[in-house]
Amino acid sequence: MHETPLTNPTTRLAPSPTGALHLGNARTFLINWALARSNNWRIVLRIEDLDTPRVKPGVIDSTIDTLRWLGLDWDDSPTIQSTRLEHHELAMRHLASHQCVYPCELTRSQIESAASAPHDSDHEPRFDPSLRPPSIPASFNDSGTNWRVLVDPDPITFHDTFAGPQSIDLDATLGDFVVWTKRATPSYQLAVVVDDHDQGVTHIVRGNDLLHSAARQIHLQRALGYTSTPTYTHLPLVRGPDGKRLAKRHGDTRIDHYRAQGTTPERIIGLIAHWSGLTPSRTPMSITEFRDGFLLDTLPPGDITFTPQDDHWLTTP
Ligand code: GLU
């Protein structure tokens, strides 16, 4: 496969345009941006509109507008993931020509009943190798079924800049996973790997809910013959007072909601700065002060809890 030399350090901001950029996403983007701008990395903005089945009109523009309002910037015009389908398909053809992928029509309940160990409902059931077809095709056709990639029995090991050394056994925990969906689109895992590669991304900074995905992505990079792996930095998440990942049940924590109530970017950045170890208490802060003060080494290692006091501070200047 054609190899692009990775010369300039490059990172990406990769929001999904779900219309719900909340404080947790804002924190990740702000840290990603600060690391990039203080280390001279190029930043690409990629709108991941393949993540959700249907993107409402106007949501892409409003996602970009929210990022700009916070003070973030990037170096090229934004890339819209759905315009890159031919590149994703090319990657599927490469995987098929190496007999790494196969079509699979099994339903979730068929996969669950073959799984040897119970799984919790937050995770996909493991795909047991006995469910593989007897022969693996050597070409790809987008025929309205899911396609899975074969995984190896060896664990994937990598060093995460923040989360430390990792060893993830895809075979034992997940099994062959979907790379092309019956909706005729690449899965998130495939699209993100192909796009990161084609855009020359060398540094990936994101929430640690995607730590396990990094192993799938490294597996795909190898299967696609990519010769370099990006550097990964997976950051702690923001959680609600109940310990669950920030979501609607914790009230409206969308950036646009605060913006509509008159909250300034400086208050949001000040809260994120406090969460990120820059200040002993909540103080309004400009984005350049955040950039100059942020240090990955002093970022608290645990997840953050979003409290009613935080909300009060944002809404009651
Ligand atoms: N679009 C994904 C999200 O918003 C991020 C994917 C990534 O950073 O790899 O969750």
Side-chain angles (χ1 to χ4, degrees):
M1 179 148 270
H2 174 70
E3 199 60 35
T4 319
L6 299 179
T7 41
N8 299 330
T10 299
T11 191
R12 76 315 197 263
L13 306 175
S16 303
T18 55
L21 195 71
H22 59 57
L23 287 167
N25 311 126
R27 176 174 188 256
T28 307
F29 289 135
L30 194 60
I31 292 177
N32 194 349
W33 177 89
L35 284 170
R37 287 292 177 238
S38 39
N39 290 292
N40 266 324
W41 304 341
R42 186 169 71 100
I43 304 179
V44 297
L45 174 67
R46 187 173 66 231
I47 305 289
E48 303 212 315
D49 58 339
L50 294 175
D51 273 10
T52 43
R54 209 157 42 91
V55 175
K56 292 196 209 102
V59 167
I60 292 183
D61 287 344
S62 73
T63 302
I64 294 175
D65 183 58
T66 308
L67 296 173
R68 287 222 174 94
W69 177 80
L70 275 172
L72 300 170
D73 63 1
W74 42 89
D75 297 313
D76 296 319
S77 41
T79 302
I80 311 294
Q81 196 165 45
S82 59
T83 64
R84 297 191 28 84
L85 279 174
E86 64 192 90
H87 301 274
H88 306 137
E89 231 177 286
L90 203 65
M92 277 305 286
R93 282 196 230 116
H94 175 94
L95 292 172
S97 69
H98 288 74
Q99 294 188 291
C100 298
V101 286
Y102 58 87
C104 171
E105 297 198 26
L106 297 174
T107 62
R108 188 180 169 109
S109 64
Q110 286 171 310
I111 296 166
E112 264 166 11
S113 48
S116 43
H119 65 97
D120 61 67
S121 55
D122 279 357
H123 294 103
E124 284 170 57
R126 174 174 179 263
F127 188 88
D128 195 89
S130 65
L131 298 170
R132 286 175 182 161
S135 69
I136 304 293
S139 65
F140 169 61
N141 67 330
D142 188 2
S143 54
T145 57
N146 289 331
W147 284 66
R148 291 178 183 270
V149 65
L150 294 160
V151 301
D152 307 321
D154 301 325
I156 303 276
T157 55
F158 63 101
H159 186 87
D160 186 281
T161 312
F162 192 73
Q166 306 294 320
S167 173
I168 297 175
D169 188 337
L170 289 177
D171 182 42
T173 56
L174 178 74
D176 301 346
F177 59 93
V178 173
V179 284
W180 194 265
T181 79
K182 56 184 178 214
R183 291 187 277 115
T185 54
S187 71
Y188 153 69
Q189 306 292 350
L190 181 73
V192 93
V193 164
V194 172
D195 294 350
D196 282 339
H197 172 263
D198 291 357
Q199 296 190 285
V201 170
T202 55
H203 290 73
I204 294 179
V205 180
R206 59 188 179 190
N208 67 17
D209 51 332
L210 291 171
L211 189 58
H212 205 273
S213 283
R216 300 183 214 188
Q217 292 165 16
I218 292 170
H219 177 66
L220 284 175
Q221 289 155 14
R222 292 178 185 162
L224 285 163
Y226 300 164
T227 49
S228 52
T229 296
T231 300
Y232 288 98
T233 306
H234 286 93
L235 304 169
L237 299 179
V238 179
R239 297 185 180 275
D242 58 358
K244 301 239 168 71
R245 239 167 62 201
L246 208 56
K248 285 214 181 84
R249 75 173 82 87
H250 302 117
D252 197 344
T253 65
R254 288 174 309 128
I255 301 304
D256 287 349
H257 159 79
Y258 290 113
R259 182 181 177 185
Q261 294 193 59
T263 307
T264 60
E266 287 74 20
R267 274 203 167 238
I268 294 177
I269 293 167
L271 175 62
I272 293 173
H274 174 56
W275 282 344
S276 306
L278 271 74
T279 49
S281 60
R282 303 175 193 89
T283 323
M285 185 181 278
S286 72
I287 194 161
T288 46
E289 284 172 293
F290 184 90
R291 178 198 62 202
D292 296 342
F294 178 79
L295 283 175
L296 200 56
D297 291 346
T298 50
L299 185 71
D303 285 349
I304 298 297
T305 304
F306 174 70
T307 63
Q309 291 76 13
D310 292 328
D311 181 69
H312 183 79
W313 190 78
L314 289 174
T315 51
T316 327

